[in-house]
Amino acid sequence: MATSPSGRRGSRALSELLAGRVKKQKCTFDSGQEFQKAAVHLLSCHQNLNDLLLEVESSSKSTEQSGPEPQSAFSESFVVSILQEQASRLGVPMGILSANTTATNIEQICKTSMESNQVALLNLEQRKKLSCLLQTVKDLLVHNAFCHLLFCQELWKKQNPPVLEVVWHLHRGNIVSLGELLESNSDTPAVVEWLCSSLCLLCKQTDSSSLDVELSGHILSDFMIVFLQNGFQQTSDPEKKVEFQKIPHICYAVLQKMLTWVLDAVANEKQEDSSKLQAVKCWLNIFTVTMYKSTNFPESLQQFFIHTLTEILTYNPLLKASDAIHMQREWSFARTCPLLTTLYRKLFVAFSAEKLMCHLQQILETHEVNWQHVLSCFSTLVVCQTEAEQLVKDLLSSLLIKAFENYDMENMITAFLIARQAALEGPAVFMPYAEWFKVSFGNASGYHGSSKKALVFLFEFLSELVPFEAPQYLKVHIMHPPFVPTKYRPFLLEYITLAKTRLADLKVAIEDMGLYEDLSSTKEAVQPQSQALEDVEKAIRIFENTGKIPTSVMEASIFRRPYYTSHFIPALLMPRVLPEIPDSRIVFIDSLKRADKIPPNLYSRYVQACHSLKEKHLQDGSIEIETDHLKEPVEQLKAELDELIMLITDQSKHDAVPAQIALISERLMTVLGHRNNENEAAFFNSLIQLNICSPKLEQQDQCVIDLLLTSFCQNLIAASYFNPPDRQGLCLSLFVKMICGHRRVLPALLTRLCQLIYHQGPSLNDAHVLGLAAFMIHLNESKSLIPEVNIGSKVASAKGLSVTEYWNHLLVCRTGESLAFCMRFCTAAVAYCLCKFPSLSHDDLCNLLPSGLIKKLQYVVPRLSLEARGIGREEEAPELSWRSLSCPSVNYTKTSLCLWKQTCFQELLKEKLFQLSFQEWLLFELEVQPEKDILSASERSELDNRGQLEKSEFSVHNRTVNPDILCRLQEMVLELGSRQTSPTGCWNDKGHFLFRIFQERLKTIGNGSAVGERLLRQQEVLLQKRILLCLPPSVLIMCRRGKKMTLDCEDFFFFVNTELRNICSRGCALSYDITAHFLRGLLNASLDYEESAQGINDVLKTCRTKCPIIISSAALWWLRLEPVLCSQWKRLFGAPLAQELQRLRKCQHSATSFLSLEAEFSLSDTPWISAAFLHFTVQQQAAHGRMRDVLKRVGSDTEQLLVCLLFFSLMDLIFTRLAPKQGTEFQKSLEWCLEILGCLEEQGVSWLALFHSAEKDRGLYQILHSAASDQYISLLPIAFYSLIPCFHQNLLNREQTFLYVAVDMYTQLLRLYIEGENPRRSDQGGQSLPSVKHVDSLEVLTKARQFLLHSIARCPKNSFVHIQQLLDPCEEFDPEVKAALFHSWKPSVAEDLYDEPVLF
């Protein structure tokens, strides 16, 4: 580059700068090793050692980048050699130099942090530098070039102590442990102060970023392990060793100071800023037990948690017991500082409930305690620990026993404070104080009943409490006084006088106590005026349901006259605008007036004031509407309910659910507290009054209840998304138990459930059904908290219903809709219970499940599900899956059937408690309205006959009686009568008079081929069938008496073969109703037979040949017939089932087992019957897809079975052609037929006889044809030519009659098409089949003609033996086919013609 005009040297080119150094200097070193040493020496003279430690990479990183091992060794030796050089120059050991240099580097890295002195964490740049430094130090450690002790000392000598994160990295990297660092500093108090302040700073920085939060967690976890290992070593007294060991003392002191920091923040919660409270919350994470799951010092952890709990309960014990009595209401769980309750809950996890209670008792007995912390601890315990209630009761019992043994006031006050505190959390978690006091002192066996001294001690204690007592506790002691023998009554009277005096000082008169005031309420006492308003509303509600003046009002008018006249009557007679139609309040006032319970002057003033008020409102032109003051509390309740679902869906926050439920309870109490017109539930034995037929609910009540129910349903669905019920914990149980604890909510809750289930049930969606069903189970779980219910029904018990009985009245079965809803609801409830409590013992499960639900299922499921009626089914039930039940598109029919098959459900049905009696079944059936039933008349008739027809007394009350039931009962009477008297003669030598009449009526109609005549005949046959079904089934059978009585069914068989067979629905099977009617009649008629079983066997054997369609019908419907026939047989005879019926059962069992791959197929002595059962079982199980394997397993010696199976499959093929929407898909049926035909061809079995005319054949094939309708037989040509894909050359050569059958089928097919032959048949409803043209007969005909023309020339000569008799029909319909036949038949012409191409 040329020099610039300015002459600046910086512009010269590099070549110019190096021009004077072009000559190569000669190397003076003899080897590369000498050259390397010289280079190291040169660098060491000009190297900054501090920068060197930061810049030189670690050996591991060098290895990754450079690859060869010598390069890594060089990097390490380079750092060591530099340090050695510097150390020798300075005259100090290398370890001291490296330690000092490292400490200086750390000080430089943390310089920014140390200037502010307000951080415990480094920034990203500082972490990067520190990481590089520590990697270098690790290399020095490997070469023993680093001194731990000197490094620690140098670190403490710096101007500021190290940042906490640096200490953690040194500890985590095994460079210098935390213990070594603490041990190296001689100023122990300063070390403790530094460590505590650093930990506090660390906790304050945790919310800056997610990375810092994670890092802080690791730091706290690692340091806590050190603190626990040293501060709580495995000795009985950790304070004893602090005199001898420094590290344990520091660790113990740090934990103690941090706990004090937490408790100070809790004590000053309202004054502290949010950042400090957040820091304390972060520190509480060290009490998470799972943090220490990888450690191996459980005893140290236990000691730490015990020590912490002790310190909390004994922290700053300034308050006296008297202060606790007055203030404990403010220390309930919901009002306690969340930090403290969180700490309690974390500590509780480390102990079993028993061990925790034992330790609490030890603290109470041996320490001076902080009553606020102790009582808030018990509140948290009973709210969050389900088993705590009984343990607290045991503790109270122990305290009272000790108190009365030693006459110890301290144990007494402790017991009373704990009992009251636990009761403050509501009856959902602990019994009310009033009840506890009655249980403890209300009878002669109480703790005070041992002696006079004990009695005096109790009243002295109660008397000392009086100056500090709240009014509600004094009321409890007065209204439910301790049991006192008569001779010691003065002690009691003296206390009552003292208590009443105290109440008077508080301006609370016992005489002003409300009629329905709840002494167990945790609310502040209300004014008498407000209480009187509540009493009035409660009294009116009771009057509405009973029609009588409540007993409590009558008693108050006599025994509590001051309250009655001064408060109750004025509240009742408050002036208002009277409605035009008298309401309950007016009627109640009139009843009291007639009973002389209202002074006349007060009543007249009331009437006058009401008139004046009405006139005033008329003048003003409007009536004021009360404003709603409930809005804000309800919004607060909704906010807490929304928070609950957030906790339930976050599995990491499940521990906080009990606390949130306690907050919801507090909000619910606030809502109820704003309700001046709310009703107070009095005592546990008071009835809940509601009208099930017309449940009324105020809008505000409905708003609150809907919030609670909606929250429960949402929580259930949300929780089910993550876990099945058995892994959802006790959240939902606690929620429902909390609701039950608010007794004033229960009437509104049960009323709303009545509205939803009883009145709106069928319209509820699946999510609502599932939620309400689960809610019912949990309500039943808490049934001890729910009073009895009076539903205002004459049918229900006048004394009231338990909540379990109440469900029975809500779930009704009157219409198809209500039956379906009942099945959905009961299925959801029982399935939820079984999924929720899988490990529950059988007895506990029986106690939990409402028996009414199980009985309703026993009634509804068999009624709506055909498969549930079967007996002896051996198929394995699928597992009951909760996910399928909680999915949006649940199929309750399948789910109920799945539940029905469960082993655990079947075990429940064996319990007497759950067994559906005949009386209960009959009453259920009587409630069903036939015109709105989901079953048809025939289906209902079948089901009624299946019921347990046993003698039983029953009452129909005022129900509308189902006429079908009465018909069945009349049939029972006829059946029972036939056991003693012979049937009346409805037949003579000319045959059965009924069938004779039927034939005469059919003769008048004729048997023409016109469509109109056929339809009239079908209509008449259907009418005759309905008549038969309305008569007792035994009428179908004739009993001929002679030397030996016989059962004659000839007339019925003739009617079936000539008429019913031709209107059957599937071509080869009668409808279920007539099949069942005949078989039931056969069993009834055999009663008079000397050998009933033999008579039935003879008739069924006759059916095989004379009326085979009955047997094939039994095969189709056997799964429905079997339970009906077996039940009837057992009822009539009680002997083993008749042999022929057993044979049918065996055929069904064989087919089912064969298809389920459980056994080989067992062939009966009548193959066509086995084929019928196998065919229909295949259809019912939709097993077409695996039929190739099924046919292979049938065996090789079953030719007749396969031929018969082909026949029934052909009938099904025709059915799918004619009615594709009612049967199996045509393609599946065709594939099934082709599979069977292929199997026959492989075995070389002849099957063409199936297509010969019935008149020309005998034996098996004639039976098969007589088992099908004539219309279906006439359509066999369509089935024949649907099988063309299986017609191969070997078939033409093997079967001499193939050509004859093919031509015969073709001519019949032509006749059907050309002559318009349109066979019709009717199903059970009388609907006709579509025409043959509808099934694309022209397409079938075209394929048949093509196949026949190509096959004629390929058939052997012997195939034309009988062909001459078919030439004339061919000439009439298709001359071309005749010409082809004639051409191939004439022997003289055969050899001269060209060969046809082989197409098949």
Side-chain angles (χ1 to χ4, degrees):
M1 177 183 285
T3 306
S4 63
S6 62
R8 288 178 298 174
R9 299 181 62 183
S11 301
R12 297 171 61 190
L14 180 63
S15 58
E16 296 177 18
L17 293 174
L18 300 178
R21 300 179 179 270
V22 177
K23 291 183 180 182
K24 184 178 180 181
Q25 296 181 2
K26 184 177 180 180
C27 181
T28 59
F29 301 105
D30 295 335
S31 65
Q33 187 174 5
E34 292 180 1
F35 179 74
Q36 185 179 12
K37 289 182 180 180
V40 170
H41 177 74
L42 177 64
L43 288 173
S44 63
C45 294
H46 301 279
Q47 175 66 44
N48 185 323
L49 193 58
N50 293 333
D51 295 338
L52 177 67
L53 296 182
L54 291 174
E55 293 173 0
V56 177
E57 297 178 345
S58 66
S59 60
S60 59
K61 188 171 183 181
S62 299
T63 304
E64 292 173 3
Q65 293 180 349
S66 58
E69 186 175 349
Q71 179 68 22
S72 174
F74 168 73
S75 177
E76 296 174 9
S77 62
F78 176 72
V79 177
V80 174
S81 63
I82 294 297
L83 285 172
Q84 288 176 341
E85 189 81 22
Q86 288 280 14
S88 61
R89 185 182 299 111
L90 298 174
V92 296
M94 185 173 61
I96 295 177
L97 179 61
S98 62
N100 187 23
T101 306
T102 304
T104 302
N105 271 283
I106 289 177
E107 183 181 27
Q108 291 299 321
I109 290 172
C110 301
K111 186 176 182 180
T112 305
S113 300
M114 290 179 177
E115 287 176 358
S116 62
N117 200 26
Q118 292 295 321
V119 294
L121 298 176
L122 303 175
N123 57 37
L124 292 178
E125 183 65 27
Q126 290 171 326
R127 284 192 192 118
K128 185 177 180 181
K129 291 181 179 180
L130 180 65
S131 177
C132 184
L133 174 64
L134 296 184
Q135 292 293 348
T136 304
V137 173
K138 288 180 181 180
D139 291 338
L140 296 177
L141 285 171
V142 172
H143 293 82
N144 295 320
F146 186 81
C147 179
H148 295 78
L149 180 59
L150 293 175
F151 169 71
C152 294
Q153 292 174 351
E154 290 296 327
L155 204 58
W156 288 118
K157 289 178 182 179
K158 300 302 178 184
Q159 183 178 358
N160 292 309
V163 175
L164 193 64
E165 183 182 347
V166 174
V167 177
W168 176 71
H169 282 295
L170 293 171
H171 174 80
R172 188 73 173 259
N174 295 322
I175 297 173
V176 175
S177 68
L178 178 63
E180 290 179 293
L181 188 63
L182 299 178
E183 183 75 32
S184 62
N185 194 323
S186 58
D187 190 354
T188 300
V191 172
V192 173
E193 182 63 31
W194 163 78
L195 195 49
C196 289
S197 60
S198 296
L199 290 172
C200 293
L201 287 173
L202 177 67
C203 294
K204 286 183 179 180
Q205 286 187 262
T206 54
D207 55 350
S208 58
S209 68
S210 59
L211 181 62
D212 287 346
V213 172
E214 184 178 1
L215 180 61
S216 299
H218 290 312
I219 294 173
L220 289 176
S221 175
D222 291 344
F223 284 179
M224 276 304 301
I225 291 174
V226 175
F227 295 157
L228 292 181
Q229 286 177 328
N230 293 278
F232 291 88
Q233 294 179 353
Q234 309 300 317
T235 62
S236 58
D237 186 6
E239 295 185 2
K240 221 172 189 182
K241 61 191 179 189
V242 300
E243 301 175 0
F244 308 100
Q245 300 183 25
K246 183 178 181 180
I247 299 302
H249 172 76
I250 294 175
C251 294
Y252 184 86
V254 168
L255 291 176
Q256 186 68 24
K257 189 165 185 176
M258 292 302 294
L259 179 59
T260 303
W261 175 66
V262 171
L263 296 178
D264 288 342
V266 168
N268 303 304
E269 176 193 14
K270 296 181 180 180
Q271 290 78 31
E272 297 288 358
D273 58 79
S274 59
S275 61
K276 182 174 182 180
L277 296 179
Q278 188 65 30
V280 172
K281 186 177 181 181
C282 173
W283 176 252
L284 294 185
N285 290 327
I286 70 164
F287 296 99
T288 303
V289 175
T290 54
M291 180 187 293
Y292 310 101
K293 60 183 179 181
S294 61
T295 60
N296 192 24
F297 47 90
E299 292 186 11
S300 295
L301 188 63
Q302 286 275 323
Q303 286 184 21
F304 171 60
F305 276 60
I306 289 175
H307 168 77
T308 302
L309 183 59
T310 304
E311 290 296 314
I312 295 172
L313 300 183
T314 57
Y315 166 80
N316 199 11
L318 298 178
L319 295 175
K320 299 179 181 179
S322 57
D323 300 320
I325 294 172
H326 182 67
M327 301 172 63
Q328 69 178 128
R329 189 174 185 277
E330 300 300 321
W331 302 336
S332 64
F333 179 85
R335 301 184 182 188
T336 299
C337 174
L339 293 175
L340 187 57
T341 56
T342 300
L343 179 54
Y344 285 143
R345 295 204 315 270
K346 290 181 177 292
L347 293 175
F348 293 166
V349 175
F351 310 100
S352 64
E354 294 80 4
K355 186 172 182 179
L356 177 62
M357 195 62 64
C358 180
H359 184 64
L360 288 175
Q361 185 173 1
Q362 182 181 358
I363 294 174
L364 291 171
E365 292 175 351
T366 58
H367 293 75
E368 187 177 359
V369 296
N370 180 320
W371 280 112
Q372 180 178 1
H373 287 184
V374 168
L375 296 181
S376 61
C377 177
F378 275 97
S379 279
T380 307
L381 183 62
V382 295
V383 167
C384 300
Q385 297 275 8
T386 55
E387 64 271 30
E389 180 178 8
Q390 186 57 47
L391 295 174
V392 171
K393 289 179 182 177
D394 295 341
L395 174 62
L396 294 175
S397 177
S398 174
L399 290 171
L400 290 176
I401 290 174
K402 292 180 180 179
F404 281 95
E405 283 179 352
N406 306 315
Y407 303 105
D408 182 3
M409 286 290 186
E410 288 189 5
N411 280 325
M412 282 290 286
I413 191 61
T414 301
F416 270 71
L417 285 174
I418 293 175
R420 293 179 181 183
Q421 191 68 31
L424 284 175
E425 303 305 329
V429 295
F430 196 79
M431 65 170 64
Y433 175 74
E435 186 180 348
W436 175 80
F437 190 80
K438 285 189 293 182
V439 169
S440 302
F441 307 106
N443 52 66
S445 60
Y447 299 99
H448 65 298
S450 59
S451 64
K452 175 184 176 181
K453 188 176 181 180
L455 186 65
V456 171
F457 171 71
L458 173 62
F459 282 112
E460 285 181 355
F461 170 74
L462 294 177
S463 299
E464 291 186 11
L465 290 184
V466 167
F468 313 103
E469 290 277 42
Q472 66 265 30
Y473 296 122
L474 292 173
K475 289 180 181 180
V476 169
H477 299 164
I478 295 173
M479 299 302 294
H480 306 289
F483 172 80
V484 177
T486 306
K487 59 182 178 179
Y488 300 133
R489 293 287 292 178
F491 296 118
L492 174 60
L493 296 176
E494 182 180 352
Y495 170 75
I496 290 177
T497 302
L498 182 63
K500 286 184 176 182
T501 303
R502 173 59 179 167
L503 286 174
D505 294 340
L506 297 172
K507 297 182 181 180
V508 177
I510 194 67
E511 292 79 8
D512 293 337
M513 194 174 123
L515 303 182
Y516 303 103
E517 184 174 345
D518 186 2
L519 297 179
S520 301
S521 175
T522 58
K523 295 193 316 173
E524 294 289 351
V526 298
Q527 293 298 319
Q529 293 80 5
S530 300
Q531 183 62 51
L533 290 173
E534 297 174 4
D535 289 343
V536 166
E537 294 296 331
K538 177 68 176 179
I540 292 174
R541 182 69 62 86
I542 296 174
F543 178 78
E544 284 179 354
N545 290 281
T546 63
K548 300 178 181 180
I549 300 174
T551 304
S552 56
V553 175
M554 297 297 289
E555 291 177 350
S557 67
I558 301 172
F559 302 108
R560 300 188 58 194
R561 190 84 181 162
Y563 174 78
Y564 180 78
T565 57
S566 301
H567 299 288
F568 184 81
I569 291 298
L572 178 64
L573 300 181
M574 288 183 65
R576 64 184 182 122
V577 177
L578 298 178
E580 295 181 3
I581 300 176
D583 59 6
S584 301
R585 192 184 194 98
I586 294 176
V587 178
F588 179 56
I589 292 173
D590 289 341
S591 298
L592 288 175
K593 181 176 178 294
R594 288 194 301 270
D596 293 330
K597 297 300 179 182
I598 298 179
N601 59 336
L602 289 180
Y603 181 77
S604 61
R605 288 180 200 168
Y606 166 70
V607 175
Q608 184 178 359
C610 290
H611 284 299
S612 300
L613 189 61
K614 182 177 182 181
E615 292 176 1
K616 181 180 179 181
H617 284 163
L618 290 176
Q619 291 174 0
D620 295 341
S622 64
I623 298 177
E624 294 182 1
I625 301 175
E626 295 182 1
T627 58
D628 183 11
H629 300 289
L630 191 62
K631 184 175 181 180
E632 184 177 351
V634 170
E635 291 299 326
Q636 293 176 354
L637 174 62
K638 185 178 184 301
E640 297 297 346
L641 291 172
D642 293 340
E643 180 65 22
L644 178 62
I645 194 172
M646 299 300 293
L647 295 177
I648 286 180
T649 54
D650 188 346
Q651 300 184 33
S652 64
K653 297 181 179 179
H654 277 192
D655 291 342
V657 169
Q660 185 63 26
I661 291 176
L663 290 175
I664 293 172
S665 178
E666 185 77 10
R667 294 290 180 264
L668 184 57
M669 191 181 301
T670 304
V671 171
L672 299 177
H674 281 72
R675 300 285 309 282
N676 290 332
N677 62 338
E678 181 61 74
N679 303 316
E680 292 281 4
F683 306 100
F684 279 110
N685 56 355
S686 62
L687 289 178
I688 294 177
Q689 305 289 340
L690 58 90
N691 189 335
I692 193 173
C693 297
S694 181
K696 297 179 181 178
L697 202 59
E698 295 181 8
Q699 185 177 358
Q700 294 175 350
D701 288 328
Q702 183 171 333
C703 176
V704 174
I705 298 303
D706 285 351
L707 274 179
L708 296 173
L709 292 178
T710 302
S711 176
F712 179 88
C713 294
Q714 291 175 343
N715 291 333
L716 174 65
I717 298 299
S720 299
Y721 183 81
F722 298 100
N723 289 310
D726 59 319
R727 294 171 55 192
Q728 292 173 10
L730 300 174
C731 306
L732 298 178
S733 295
L734 289 175
F735 183 79
V736 176
K737 200 173 182 183
M738 176 273 296
I739 295 175
C740 294
H742 295 274
R743 299 186 210 167
R744 294 189 296 166
V745 175
L746 293 178
L749 174 64
L750 297 182
T751 300
R752 185 59 177 150
L753 289 176
C754 176
Q755 291 177 345
L756 293 172
I757 298 175
Y758 184 83
H759 293 277
Q760 305 171 25
S763 63
L764 297 177
N765 61 33
D766 291 338
H768 291 152
V769 170
L770 183 63
L772 290 176
F775 191 82
M776 173 187 285
I777 292 298
H778 287 297
L779 270 183
N780 215 57
E781 188 182 11
S782 304
K783 57 188 174 184
S784 60
L785 299 174
I786 304 175
E788 291 185 342
V789 185
N790 188 330
I791 62 174
S793 171
K794 296 180 180 179
V795 179
S797 173
K799 69 177 182 178
L801 303 170
S802 67
V803 69
T804 304
E805 296 169 329
Y806 177 61
W807 308 134
N808 297 340
H809 292 272
L810 296 188
L811 294 166
V812 294
C813 302
R814 295 173 183 169
T815 65
E817 287 185 345
S818 61
L819 283 164
F821 169 72
C822 185
M823 182 187 72
R824 292 165 61 204
F825 192 92
C826 294
T827 299
V830 176
Y832 175 77
C833 186
L834 296 180
C835 293
K836 178 69 175 178
F837 307 103
S839 59
L840 211 59
S841 68
H842 185 72
D843 292 341
D844 291 339
L845 188 62
C846 293
N847 183 55
L848 177 60
L849 268 172
S851 60
L853 297 185
I854 304 295
K855 292 181 179 180
K856 295 278 185 182
L857 278 176
Q858 291 179 76
Y859 172 70
V860 174
V861 174
R863 208 173 198 281
L864 303 183
S865 176
L866 172 64
E867 192 172 350
R869 303 176 199 171
I871 59 173
R873 304 300 303 275
E874 297 180 358
E875 60 190 59
E876 184 177 354
E879 183 180 357
L880 186 62
S881 171
W882 174 252
R883 186 164 295 278
S884 64
L885 189 65
S886 59
C887 68
S889 57
V890 57
N891 186 327
Y892 271 102
T893 302
K894 291 183 178 179
T895 304
S896 62
L897 189 59
C898 177
L899 173 64
W900 185 269
K901 294 179 179 180
Q902 297 301 307
T903 304
C904 55
F905 183 79
Q906 291 298 323
E907 289 296 323
L908 289 174
L909 298 186
K910 297 177 183 179
E911 293 292 331
K912 186 176 181 180
L913 174 67
F914 297 134
Q915 290 175 359
L916 181 67
S917 68
F918 171 71
Q919 179 180 359
E920 291 168 331
W921 173 84
L922 190 57
L923 290 177
F924 287 155
E925 197 67 26
L926 287 170
E927 284 189 351
V928 178
Q929 302 172 16
E931 67 278 5
K932 296 182 179 180
D933 192 5
I934 199 171
L935 300 179
S936 65
S938 60
E939 291 172 330
R940 189 165 53 249
S941 175
E942 171 213 341
L943 193 65
D944 294 340
N945 282 297
R946 182 181 173 271
Q948 302 178 19
L949 301 180
E950 301 172 353
K951 294 181 180 179
S952 176
E953 298 179 0
F954 63 94
S955 168
V956 296
H957 302 292
N958 296 322
R959 305 170 192 260
T960 302
V961 179
N962 188 329
D964 293 336
I965 297 295
L966 294 182
C967 180
R968 299 285 78 77
L969 293 175
Q970 291 170 356
E971 183 182 319
M972 285 173 53
V973 174
L974 176 64
E975 176 187 301
L976 294 173
S978 66
R979 300 187 185 189
Q980 299 177 355
T981 61
S982 60
T984 57
C986 58
W987 43 79
N988 52 32
D989 293 339
K990 295 181 181 181
H992 199 296
F993 88 98
L994 188 61
F995 294 112
R996 190 168 66 248
I997 293 174
F998 287 171
Q999 290 302 319
E1000 291 174 357
R1001 287 180 58 84
L1002 290 172
K1003 285 180 182 178
T1004 60
I1005 297 175
N1007 196 17
S1009 59
V1011 175
E1013 292 181 359
R1014 288 205 306 267
L1015 290 176
L1016 285 175
R1017 190 175 185 87
Q1018 287 180 4
Q1019 186 177 5
E1020 178 64 24
V1021 172
L1022 288 173
L1023 176 62
Q1024 294 173 1
K1025 174 185 169 184
R1026 285 196 294 270
I1027 292 173
L1028 291 178
L1029 292 174
C1030 292
L1031 294 173
S1034 56
V1035 172
L1036 302 179
I1037 315 297
M1038 291 176 60
C1039 296
R1040 297 187 179 274
R1041 296 183 180 274
K1043 294 182 180 180
K1044 184 177 181 181
M1045 193 185 77
T1046 58
L1047 300 177
D1048 187 354
C1049 305
E1050 292 294 332
D1051 290 335
F1052 178 71
F1053 289 169
F1054 180 79
F1055 182 68
V1056 170
N1057 289 328
T1058 57
E1059 307 300 337
L1060 293 181
R1061 181 171 65 94
N1062 291 319
I1063 64 168
C1064 60
S1065 61
R1066 301 189 66 91
C1068 58
L1070 303 174
S1071 61
Y1072 170 79
D1073 48 10
I1074 194 65
T1075 306
H1077 206 60
F1078 168 72
L1079 292 174
R1080 289 174 47 243
L1082 180 62
L1083 267 61
N1084 286 342
S1086 66
L1087 276 172
D1088 288 335
Y1089 203 76
E1090 295 177 1
E1091 297 181 3
S1092 301
Q1094 185 59 43
I1096 294 172
N1097 291 336
D1098 293 341
V1099 171
L1100 293 180
K1101 287 179 181 178
T1102 304
C1103 286
R1104 297 184 190 178
T1105 54
K1106 291 190 175 182
C1107 196
I1109 196 171
I1110 289 181
I1111 302 299
S1112 63
S1113 303
L1116 172 61
W1117 305 112
W1118 185 253
L1119 293 179
R1120 291 175 65 180
L1121 287 170
E1122 182 181 7
V1124 175
L1125 298 178
C1126 290
S1127 175
Q1128 185 177 359
W1129 180 272
K1130 182 179 179 181
R1131 185 177 69 252
L1132 296 178
F1133 306 107
L1137 202 62
Q1139 184 178 358
E1140 287 300 309
L1141 292 176
Q1142 290 185 9
R1143 192 187 304 273
L1144 296 179
R1145 174 194 274 181
K1146 184 178 179 182
C1147 288
Q1148 178 64 59
H1149 177 73
S1150 176
T1152 304
S1153 301
F1154 176 67
L1155 291 179
S1156 61
L1157 307 179
E1158 294 179 357
E1160 296 296 327
F1161 189 73
S1162 177
L1163 189 64
S1164 69
D1165 56 355
T1166 310
W1168 74 267
I1169 297 178
S1170 296
F1173 274 97
L1174 181 59
H1175 169 73
F1176 291 124
T1177 305
V1178 168
Q1179 285 188 330
Q1180 291 161 359
Q1181 297 188 7
H1184 298 87
R1186 49 190 176 91
M1187 288 320 299
R1188 182 179 297 274
D1189 296 334
V1190 170
L1191 292 174
K1192 288 181 180 179
R1193 294 176 53 237
V1194 169
S1196 57
D1197 299 329
T1198 54
E1199 292 85 357
Q1200 285 190 342
L1201 172 70
L1202 292 175
V1203 172
C1204 297
L1205 194 59
L1206 176 62
F1207 176 79
F1208 288 112
S1209 301
L1210 291 172
M1211 295 296 101
D1212 188 59
L1213 181 68
I1214 295 173
F1215 178 70
T1216 55
R1217 275 283 198 177
L1218 297 176
K1221 293 183 179 180
Q1222 299 181 25
T1224 313
E1225 295 179 9
F1226 171 76
Q1227 191 59 36
K1228 290 184 178 179
S1229 294
L1230 179 59
E1231 291 174 358
W1232 175 220
C1233 292
L1234 294 178
E1235 290 286 353
I1236 300 174
L1237 191 58
C1239 188
L1240 288 170
E1241 286 298 305
E1242 289 177 4
Q1243 298 183 20
V1245 179
S1246 177
W1247 50 271
L1248 288 173
L1250 287 176
F1251 297 93
H1252 290 175
S1253 301
E1255 294 80 6
K1256 297 180 181 180
D1257 295 294
R1258 295 292 182 267
L1260 172 65
Y1261 305 107
Q1262 184 176 3
I1263 291 175
L1264 290 176
H1265 279 228
S1266 61
S1269 69
D1270 294 339
Q1271 289 83 357
Y1272 272 60
I1273 296 299
S1274 68
L1275 296 177
L1276 276 176
I1278 296 177
F1280 179 83
Y1281 279 106
S1282 297
L1283 304 177
I1284 287 178
C1286 274
F1287 295 166
H1288 302 294
Q1289 182 63 41
N1290 60 345
L1291 176 64
L1292 276 62
N1293 296 331
R1294 188 183 75 247
E1295 293 288 347
Q1296 181 179 349
T1297 60
F1298 177 80
L1299 182 61
Y1300 178 86
V1301 172
V1303 174
D1304 185 27
M1305 291 291 102
Y1306 178 67
T1307 57
Q1308 291 186 41
L1309 188 61
L1310 284 171
R1311 184 178 289 107
L1312 286 173
Y1313 184 76
I1314 295 175
E1315 295 182 354
E1317 180 68 22
N1318 184 17
R1320 293 176 179 269
R1321 57 101 173 138
S1322 298
D1323 60 5
Q1324 298 176 25
Q1327 297 175 346
S1328 298
L1329 288 174
S1331 66
V1332 179
K1333 293 180 181 179
H1334 176 72
V1335 297
D1336 297 328
S1337 297
L1338 182 60
E1339 179 184 353
V1340 176
L1341 185 62
T1342 302
K1343 291 182 178 180
R1345 189 172 186 273
Q1346 292 175 353
F1347 169 76
L1348 191 59
L1349 289 174
H1350 287 299
S1351 301
I1352 289 174
R1354 294 160 47 206
C1355 289
K1357 297 302 179 182
N1358 56 3
S1359 299
F1360 295 88
V1361 175
H1362 302 290
I1363 206 67
Q1364 186 174 3
Q1365 52 188 300
L1366 294 177
L1367 292 179
D1368 292 337
C1370 288
E1371 183 178 9
E1372 180 182 359
F1373 295 112
D1374 194 338
E1376 185 178 352
V1377 172
K1378 179 190 174 184
L1381 287 171
F1382 187 80
H1383 182 73
S1384 299
W1385 176 51
K1386 286 295 183 180
S1388 60
V1389 185
E1391 299 295 333
D1392 299 334
L1393 298 178
Y1394 63 88
D1395 294 333
E1396 286 282 340
V1398 180
L1399 300 180
F1400 296 93

